[in-house]
Amino acid sequence: MKASYGDKVFYAVNYTVLTIIALTCLFPLVHIAALSLSDSSAIMSGLVTIWPKGWSLEAYGALLQGTNILGAFKNSLIITLVGVVLSMLLTTLAAYPLSRKYFYARKSFTLLMVFTMLFGAGMIPTYLVVKSLGLIDTYFALWLPGLISTYNMLVMKSFFENLPEELQEAARIDGCGEIKILARIILPLSLPMLATLSLFYGVQYWNAFMNVLIYINESDKYNLSVLVQQMVQSQSVMQELSDFQPEDIQNITPQSIKSAGVMVMVIPMLLVYPFLQKYFVKGVLIGSIKG
């Protein structure tokens, strides 16, 4: 169907507005990247906007050698990988039985889980529970309190409900139990949804900040979010580069160090997202048709 003049104007306005919004969101990240790759003289002169001036990697070298950025990166990786595996496993084990029409009292269990989205215990009661379990200064304090996202569980439940029941019935006729049906039928057909929810959980754990500040007291267990925040807030970031001599950091500015730290924290998610982007919209939309 040929678009009318009004449709063309509408599309043009939409594309223009969305392009402006996208550029507005993208500009801070591009600016930070430019600062991290620019020469100190250009940064101090205020010449850096969206393109690096006097390309330099000294800020990244100082960051890697003078701070615990590698240790924090390893901690973030552990928190994210283990957290995603545990969360996806428990979310799947919760969503699958609730998606079965023959599961007894499934509506009651679903309502109880939805109730947790409306009310929370609060920071202090949660901290007291975590402390009583002896989880302070362990990563289990980051994993256990939010192991299952009710929203993600409902998305997965709706996705499972939309899968053809004929396939599952055929598997039962062939002698498959519930575990085999889940592992061999349901999960292979749910890759878009699994990739999408894994991305949700991955971003959540990678960007964990408040929970780390509350439950982790040992600085060598901090993740990238906390380390970079401390660098950004620090007024003496250059003095903290203990492995560098004064002459080694004379061409480095605090802005470039902080910008390099932000980029080290952001780049992993930017690298992962393109591989999961094709599943992103499909997984969420299909999983939200019902429920």
Side-chain angles (χ1 to χ4, degrees), residues 23-258:
L23 292 176
T24 302
C25 296
L26 190 61
F27 176 77
L29 179 61
V30 176
H31 179 63
I32 291 295
L35 286 176
S36 68
L37 295 171
S38 296
D39 184 75
S40 60
S41 59
I43 296 176
M44 297 177 65
S45 302
L47 300 177
V48 181
T49 53
I50 62 174
W51 192 257
K53 302 289 184 180
W55 290 75
S56 173
L57 295 176
E58 292 181 351
Y60 288 95
L63 185 69
L64 293 175
Q65 299 180 39
T67 68
N68 190 34
I69 194 74
L70 291 179
F73 185 88
K74 182 188 72 173
N75 294 338
S76 291
L77 205 59
I78 294 173
I79 293 171
T80 302
L81 293 179
V82 177
V84 169
V85 171
L86 293 177
S87 292
M88 288 300 296
L89 176 62
L90 271 294
T91 302
T92 302
L93 295 179
Y96 178 70
L98 293 178
S99 68
R100 304 299 90 186
K101 296 180 180 180
Y102 48 82
F103 178 63
Y104 178 74
R106 73 187 188 106
K107 291 186 178 180
S108 300
F109 282 108
T110 302
L111 288 176
L112 288 175
M113 291 187 176
V114 171
F115 182 80
T116 64
M117 300 176 67
L118 306 177
F119 301 95
M123 182 184 298
I124 295 177
T126 303
Y127 178 84
L128 294 177
V129 171
V130 171
K131 183 178 180 180
S132 66
L133 294 175
L135 299 179
I136 299 298
D137 269 337
T138 69
Y139 291 146
F140 283 98
L142 309 180
W143 296 325
L144 293 182
L147 199 56
I148 297 180
S149 165
T150 304
Y151 172 79
N152 292 346
M153 188 275 296
L154 293 176
V155 171
M156 184 178 291
K157 169 181 172 294
S158 298
F159 194 100
F160 289 163
E161 290 175 343
N162 293 329
L163 295 176
E165 294 185 4
E166 292 77 9
L167 294 175
Q168 304 169 46
E169 293 174 357
R172 289 192 184 92
I173 294 174
D174 291 337
C176 290
E178 296 296 339
I179 299 298
K180 286 187 177 181
I181 291 176
L182 175 62
R184 298 185 180 183
I185 304 297
I186 303 297
L187 294 183
L189 294 175
S190 306
L191 290 181
M193 178 271 301
L194 295 176
T196 301
L197 297 189
S198 296
L199 179 62
F200 285 171
Y201 279 124
V203 172
Q204 170 188 324
Y205 285 115
W206 184 264
N207 293 330
F209 175 71
M210 281 302 300
N211 287 347
V212 177
L213 283 181
I214 294 172
Y215 300 125
I216 304 299
N217 298 323
E218 299 179 13
S219 59
D220 59 345
K221 293 184 178 180
Y222 284 165
N223 62 348
L224 278 175
S225 296
V226 174
L227 181 65
V228 171
Q229 186 271 344
Q230 291 178 344
M231 291 174 53
V232 171
Q233 295 294 327
S234 176
Q235 300 300 322
S236 56
V237 65
M238 303 306 293
Q239 298 178 6
E240 297 174 3
L241 299 179
S242 55
D243 294 341
F244 277 72
Q245 300 298 324
E247 59 270 14
D248 296 325
I249 61 174
Q250 60 183 354
N251 293 326
I252 306 174
T253 63
Q255 291 88 343
S256 61
I257 291 290
K258 296 174 182 179

